[in-house]
């Protein structure tokens, strides 16, 4: 029996829809959260909206961001949030929702970044390392009685966080893959977060060791080398065949990169605490360059690379209503017609279509990031 033209057309459309869904399922999903500043207004608003949309579109009120991403990277304040939403409880589920993590950061911000006077005549303004450590230890501790401090191995999804080791004058990148391979590369999460947050003009270098005491580091802010850790996460995935065997090129990736506001906006937000350093301004430029490079690389399918940024920090609604800039080839910029909220919602539609992720069963040590870090 011959198929009619209408029947053939229906079958063709169904086949195309099935193939598109099948191809989307092969995407490896990366979430990257910038450093910069102390409040994470932009990233926080974006993460809460991201998780709310995931729950809305999946009709699952218990869904977490980590259910739909394969790896999460962060630097500075972004690393603290990234570590919080990936830290696992005794059952392997996230300790914190995005909303709870952001709320805790806001409620305890004055303790995390407690100003103390030091130096001759106590004129130098720095943040208290002891105060930050006390908060981070409480954040990354299991909730049961006498709960232990969590390490990089205690995350429900692969985690990537950079710092800079001044002893070796080289980047030092923390990853769950390395931690699972050897206790010499496993570190307590509170130490990892302090290390990547130790901005030179605000904190002293942070000296610490791995859980077995065999690897040491004298760390300063990871933002000095990777304020926007997206490129590091992409490189890690592209070269880590053990954890991500299906990734053959950038076309196999979906990336959501969350900024933390422009330098001028963060200056206004943090004016009561400290002035913006030249380093911060330079790092903003580096972050823009990375965004431009990745935007160009994804130019064939810009829906697979979404960068959320805001230039006037305000309420969550104001951040989500702001329209961003798109990086174009050869250094150009274009004002987008969609708001940040619209772009997150569109990304979640594609994200949910890919289905929930599965945690790599045997994290490996080999990665491109690891291979370029000579200070380990």
């Amino acid at each position: 029996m011959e198929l009619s033209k209408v029947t053939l057309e229906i079958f063709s459309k169904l086949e195309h829809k099935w193939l598109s869904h099948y191809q989307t399922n092969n995407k490896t999903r990366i979430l990257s959260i910038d450093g910069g500043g102390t409040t994470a207004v932009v990233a926080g608003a974006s993460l809460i909206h991201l998780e709310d949309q995931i729950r809305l579109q999946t009709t699952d009120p218990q869904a977490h961001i980590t259910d739909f991403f394969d790896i999460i990277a962060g630097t500075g304040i972004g690393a603290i949030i990234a570590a919080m939403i990936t830290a696992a409880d005794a059952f392997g589920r996230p300790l914190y929702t995005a909303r709870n993590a952001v709320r805790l950061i806001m409620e305890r911000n004055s303790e995390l970044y407690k100003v103390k006077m030091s130096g001759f005549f106590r004129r130098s303004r720095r943040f208290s390392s002891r105060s930050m450590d006390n908060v981070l230890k409480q954040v990354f501790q299991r909730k049961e009685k006498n709960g232990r401090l969590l390490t990089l191995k205690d995350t429900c999804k692969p985690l990537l966080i950079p710092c800079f080791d001044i002893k070796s004058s080289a980047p030092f990148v923390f990853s769950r893959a390395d931690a699972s391979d050897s206790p010499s590369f496993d570190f307590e999460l509170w130490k990892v977060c302090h290390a990547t947050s130790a901005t030179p003009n605000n904190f002293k270098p942070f000296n610490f060791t791995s859980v077995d005491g065999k690897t040491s580091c004298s760390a300063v802010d990871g933002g000095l080398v990777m304020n926007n850790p997206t490129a590091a996460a992409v490189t890690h995935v592209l070269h880590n065949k053990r954890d991500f065997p299906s990734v053959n090129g950038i076309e196999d990736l979906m990336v959501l990169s969350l900024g933390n506001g422009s330098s001028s906006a963060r200056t206004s937000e943090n004016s009561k605490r400290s002035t913006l350093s030249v380093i911060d301004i330079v790092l903003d430029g580096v972050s823009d360059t990375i965004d431009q490079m990745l935007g160009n690389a994804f130019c064939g399918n810009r829906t697979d690379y979404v960068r959320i940024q805001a230039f006037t920090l305000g309420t969550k609604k104001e951040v989500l209503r702001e329209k961003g800039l798109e990086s174009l080839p050869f250094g150009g910029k274009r004002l987008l017609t969609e708001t940040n909220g619209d772009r997150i919602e569109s990304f979640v539609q594609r994200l949910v279509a890919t289905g929930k992720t599965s945690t790599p069963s045997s994290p490996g040590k080999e990665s491109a990031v690891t291979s370029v870090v000579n200070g380990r």
Side-chain angles (χ1 to χ4, degrees), residues 74 152 160-175 178 184-187 192 195-196 208-210 214-222 225-226 369-370 372-376:
L152 279 167
L160 203 69
I161 294 175
C163 72
F164 188 84
D165 182 14
I166 59 177
K167 290 196 304 183
S168 62
S169 299
F172 195 112
V173 182
F174 305 98
S175 75
D178 290 343
S184 296
F185 297 111
D186 192 18
F187 299 84
V192 171
T196 192
F208 62 104
T209 60
S210 57
K214 293 183 178 180
T215 305
S216 62
C217 180
S218 182
V220 293
D221 187 5
V225 287
M226 299 177 198
V369 174
T370 302
V372 300
V373 177
N374 299 318
R376 293 190 173 186

Side-chain angles (χ1 to χ4, degrees), residues 2 4 11 40 55 125 160-161 171 222 243 282 330 332 343 360:
E2 288 188 7
S4 67
F11 270 80
R55 293 180 172 187
R125 294 168 58 89
L160 203 69
I161 294 175
D243 288 351
V282 171
F330 310 109
R343 298 175 73 208

Side-chain angles (χ1 to χ4, degrees), residues 211-341:
V211 294
D212 64 359
K214 293 183 178 180
T215 305
S216 62
C217 180
S218 182
V220 293
D221 187 5
L224 295 177
V225 287
M226 299 177 198
N227 196 50
N228 178 349
T230 310
V234 168
T235 304
H236 176 88
V237 171
L238 289 176
H239 291 80
N240 188 349
K241 290 297 182 183
R242 186 172 178 178
D243 288 351
F244 307 101
S246 64
V247 177
N248 296 310
I250 204 163
E251 67 277 1
D252 297 321
L253 305 178
M254 284 180 64
V255 179
L256 178 61
S257 176
L258 304 181
N260 255 330
S262 65
S263 59
S264 57
R266 291 200 304 271
T267 301
S268 176
E269 184 74 14
N270 298 322
S271 59
K272 294 183 180 180
R273 285 215 173 105
S274 60
T275 56
L276 191 73
S277 68
V278 174
I279 293 177
D280 293 320
I281 299 172
V282 171
L283 292 179
D284 269 358
V286 173
S287 181
D288 289 343
T289 301
I290 291 173
D291 176 39
Q292 182 181 323
M293 291 170 58
L294 287 168
N296 294 344
F298 279 95
C299 61
N301 188 356
R302 295 306 299 269
T303 57
D304 281 342
Y305 174 70
V306 175
R307 170 75 172 171
I308 303 297
Q309 185 63 287
F311 302 93
T312 304
L313 303 188
T315 65
K316 174 188 172 184
K317 289 183 179 180
E318 289 170 337
V319 169
L320 296 177
R321 287 173 180 168
E322 186 169 331
K323 296 179 180 179
L325 292 175
E326 181 181 49
S327 298
L328 300 175
F330 310 109
K333 293 280 187 180
R334 178 170 67 90
L335 183 65
L336 296 168
T337 57
E338 303 90 353
T339 65
N340 286 332

Side-chain angles (χ1 to χ4, degrees), residues 153 175-185 242 363-366:
K153 289 176 64 175
S175 75
R176 194 190 72 168
D178 290 343
S180 300
D181 191 70
S182 169
S184 296
F185 297 111
R242 186 172 178 178
K365 182 179 176 182
E366 294 302 322

Side-chain angles (χ1 to χ4, degrees), residues 48-65:
I48 291 172
H49 192 59
L50 174 66
E51 193 163 77
D52 286 347
Q53 284 298 310
I54 288 174
R55 293 180 172 187
L56 178 66
Q57 295 188 32
T58 60
T59 65
D60 180 2
Q62 302 302 319
H64 287 71
I65 287 174

Side-chain angles (χ1 to χ4, degrees), residues 189-211:
L189 282 174
W190 75 268
K191 293 180 179 178
V192 171
C193 290
H194 186 145
T196 192
S197 302
T199 310
N201 57 327
N202 288 330
F203 288 100
K204 294 179 180 179
F206 181 54
N207 299 300
F208 62 104
T209 60
S210 57
V211 294

